[in-house]
Amino acid sequence: MATNGLKQWGTTPPISMALPTAADNAANDNLISELKRQNNYEPQHETDKRVSTLKLLYECTLEFVRQASRKKGYSENQIKEFGGRVFAYGSYRLGVFGPGSDIDTLVVAPKHIYREDFFEFFPSVLEQKAPKDSIGWLTPVPEAFVPIIKMELCGIEIDLIFARIASLQVVPRDLDLRENKYLQGLDERELRSVNGTRVTDEILGLVPQVKTFRTALRAVKLWAQRRAIYANIMGFPGGVAWAMLVARVCQLYPQATGSTIIHKFFTLIGQWNWPSPIMLKQIETGTLKVWNPQLYPGDRKGLMPIITPAYPSMNSTFNISKSGKEIITKELKRGGQIAAKILANQLQWKDLFSKHTFFTRDHKYYLSVVASSNDKDASLAWSGMVESKVRILVMRLEDLVDLVDLARPFTKGFERVHKCKNDSEVDEVKKGSVKYQAAGTKAEVADENDPQRAAAVQDGVALNQSSEPKNEAGSNGSHEQTIYTTTFYIGLDIKGKGSQNSPGTTDIPLDGMKTFNISWPISNFRDTCTSWANYDENLHELTVTPIRNYDLPEDLFDKGSGEMKPTRPKKKTSAPTGKKRSFQETQVRDSLLLNLRQGTSARN
């Protein structure tokens, strides 16, 4: 479609076809220079290694198809023709990968090769063909929501998924998965597997200038990560959603530079009339279910719908909560103000990428969600499952509309290892204490690519989980216990109209002698987590504890970069009255402190 002879990208005509000015080009050069200073691009030799690694995976794909076909009795002449393909998708395919990025990869095979064949043959073929010691680790997860083999190959983390094309007896070298005819005959897992490649390729095909899109997307991803609003699992947009937002702005300003796209991005998306959807093209219809709020009530619940362009279209941001929307909108406004000042030469691009203030300034109250275990493997799977449910706790807290203004989960969990000498110390650790953290260790950001965690997050699958507690004798002969914890933090903004606390509830003490009762959301969250099919009360613990900002652990703050932990406010002093506190006042105060320290345990 065109307007006044101009090519139209997307669902509406462009807002501006203006060519870049000299100032625009200079701002874009400065943006790219800053992205390089921020280590956003990797060296060419590392990119070359990615290319050779994908070539190795392609060779393994052809060989795995040959071996599986021989087992099924096909002739050698047929086997030579079957072929196979490897498609990269995600950040690598979009061209916005950086140092340490993984590669999302899809293996495609002809119709007679099944998922079971992939998991049976591919790992052994890879071990045969890969250079010596190039496989760091390899974990098949066939039961996952999207069946996957996770691995480290040639120093690169690879997520490898599989799909057969039911309509193809031979896989052509020029296979284009964007064609809907290749979806015929696929089961739900196969449809999910090909979806990532189809969406990524559609996005690249729907932007006017791919180079400009990539520059802008690199900046937006870095900004969203630094501001802690990049995590689909926690109710924020993920990589694909941010890519679609940037692509839509590129469609509306086809001639603009990356720096101009950034400014327009904050202006346009920051003022968007949600829940009107953002789409890169009109939704295609067919036999498969597509996003349609007129037809499906569930599709009307999306607060910030961003619709994938590949058939069957779906809402990529269905899990954004009320609080998530508020935080994203606030950050977009802040970003727009900074971008405008950058283009006016009042600030620099580095100011846009400044770190969040989630722990240092944003909230007065927090919830500490501690998933713990005495077994390392069990801890990884358990914490991954708990992480996938944190947004449920957020939504339950938001249900307390008379009490909660905002509930914001941090986008990462923090893993710690503790050495405890007795059960009392173990109980403290399970409630969030870091007093017994193992010497020489520090809090580590939970690795979202760890196969144990990823399996649990995707489909509640537990790998290599032992039911035997793993304790050890201490150097002095004592029975020392090692406890592994992953802690997730939720920042709370509350209305401040507390009530007198009740014994046995989980309350947050407010200023004065009032409390904020959060027992019901925590109880509901606990029940959800402990209903996990692999839950074992001998291995898994879950505790949710309210905490004030000045009581947050020290290791959450980067002192080297100047981050300061909040301090306890000084008590206001007044002239002495000579009147002692009543027994009732003292009892309420002590009960508040007890409730604060006790939290809520999954074993209560």
Side-chain angles (χ1 to χ4, degrees), residues 255-266:
Q255 309 269 33
T257 63
S259 57
T260 300
I261 293 297
I262 294 300
H263 181 225
K264 300 300 183 183
F265 168 86
F266 288 119

Side-chain angles (χ1 to χ4, degrees), residues 338-543:
I338 293 175
K341 290 182 179 180
I342 291 170
L343 297 183
N345 295 317
Q346 297 173 1
L347 289 175
Q348 297 179 328
W349 284 110
K350 67 178 181 179
D351 298 307
L352 181 64
F353 306 126
S354 62
K355 187 180 176 181
H356 63 84
T357 53
F358 180 87
F359 295 110
T360 57
R361 203 168 61 213
D362 289 353
H363 305 285
K364 192 174 182 179
Y365 306 100
Y366 295 83
L367 290 183
S368 169
V369 181
V370 183
S372 60
S373 179
N374 53 19
D375 177 272
K376 185 175 182 179
D377 290 336
S379 175
L380 290 170
W382 175 234
S383 63
M385 202 289 306
V386 171
E387 180 182 22
S388 71
K389 306 301 181 185
V390 166
R391 64 186 181 88
I392 293 177
L393 174 56
V394 168
M395 290 188 290
R396 295 295 174 263
L397 289 165
E398 289 177 343
D399 288 341
L400 303 176
V401 293
D402 294 332
L403 299 172
V404 176
D405 273 333
L406 183 140
R408 178 187 182 181
F410 190 64
T411 52
K412 303 286 185 181
F414 294 87
E415 295 178 344
R416 300 181 178 95
V417 181
H418 314 262
K419 298 289 187 179
C420 303
K421 296 177 181 178
N422 52 55
D423 290 343
S424 176
E425 292 181 357
V426 169
D427 287 340
E428 288 185 62
V429 165
K430 290 175 180 178
K431 293 171 184 174
S433 172
V434 296
K435 288 192 297 184
Y436 310 106
Q437 199 163 333
T441 68
K442 61 179 181 179
E444 300 285 351
V445 173
D447 181 5
E448 62 186 19
N449 291 316
D450 184 280
Q452 301 264 38
R453 289 176 53 80
V457 167
Q458 282 198 15
D459 207 31
V461 178
L463 304 177
N464 306 323
Q465 180 171 288
S466 168
S467 60
E468 294 296 325
K470 297 183 180 179
N471 300 324
E472 56 202 46
S475 58
N476 59 358
S478 63
H479 196 60
E480 188 174 69
Q481 299 183 60
T482 301
I483 304 297
Y484 302 89
T485 64
T486 303
T487 305
F488 306 95
Y489 295 93
I490 300 174
L492 293 177
D493 291 350
I494 57 183
K495 299 184 186 297
K497 296 180 180 179
S499 59
Q500 296 291 342
N501 74 312
S502 302
T505 64
T506 302
D507 302 325
I508 296 179
L510 304 179
D511 298 328
M513 299 305 295
K514 301 292 185 178
T515 64
F516 168 64
N517 189 304
I518 55 171
S519 295
W520 179 81
I522 291 177
S523 176
N524 179 270
F525 171 65
R526 183 188 66 222
D527 291 343
T528 299
C529 292
T530 55
S531 64
W532 182 40
N534 296 294
Y535 173 73
D536 183 340
E537 66 177 8
N538 295 315
L539 285 175
H540 305 129
E541 288 273 3
L542 176 63
T543 304

Side-chain angles (χ1 to χ4, degrees), residues 52-193:
S52 62
T53 301
L54 286 172
K55 183 179 178 181
L56 171 61
L57 290 175
Y58 174 62
E59 293 170 353
C60 291
T61 296
L62 296 179
E63 179 59 26
F64 127 70
V65 170
R66 287 192 286 263
Q67 291 190 16
S69 299
R70 288 191 187 100
K71 183 179 180 181
K72 295 173 185 288
Y74 288 92
S75 70
E76 288 300 318
N77 287 335
Q78 289 175 303
I79 290 172
K80 286 192 300 184
E81 300 297 323
F82 286 144
R85 285 290 309 274
V86 170
F87 293 91
Y89 62 101
S91 63
Y92 180 81
R93 178 70 179 99
L94 289 173
V96 293
F97 57 93
S101 296
D102 64 355
I103 305 180
D104 297 314
T105 315
L106 168 69
V107 167
V108 170
K111 65 179 184 180
H112 68 281
I113 304 296
Y114 288 85
R115 188 180 306 116
E116 293 77 13
D117 301 319
F118 173 66
F119 285 100
E120 178 183 353
F121 287 98
F122 199 95
S124 60
V125 169
L126 180 62
E127 289 173 358
Q128 295 166 9
K129 285 188 165 291
K132 184 179 179 181
D133 299 326
S134 63
I135 302 176
W137 46 265
L138 187 149
T139 306
V141 194
E143 305 89 357
F145 186 70
V146 178
I148 190 171
I149 296 176
K150 299 181 75 71
M151 71 179 85
E152 183 187 89
L153 180 62
C154 302
I156 303 168
E157 290 190 358
I158 306 285
D159 284 353
L160 194 67
I161 60 177
F162 170 83
R164 71 184 185 100
I165 304 301
S167 59
L168 289 179
Q169 187 168 350
V170 173
V171 177
R173 287 179 174 270
D174 60 351
L175 176 65
D176 186 350
L177 285 178
R178 288 180 295 178
E179 297 185 39
N180 293 345
K181 64 182 181 181
Y182 295 126
L183 301 181
Q184 296 175 7
L186 302 189
D187 63 27
E188 286 191 12
R189 287 186 168 185
E190 289 166 338
L191 285 170
R192 288 195 291 266
S193 294

Side-chain angles (χ1 to χ4, degrees), residues 545-560:
T545 305
I547 186 172
R548 289 290 293 263
N549 55 359
Y550 51 75
D551 286 325
L552 289 168
E554 295 283 349
D555 56 14
L556 296 178
F557 303 90
D558 183 3
K559 301 294 179 62

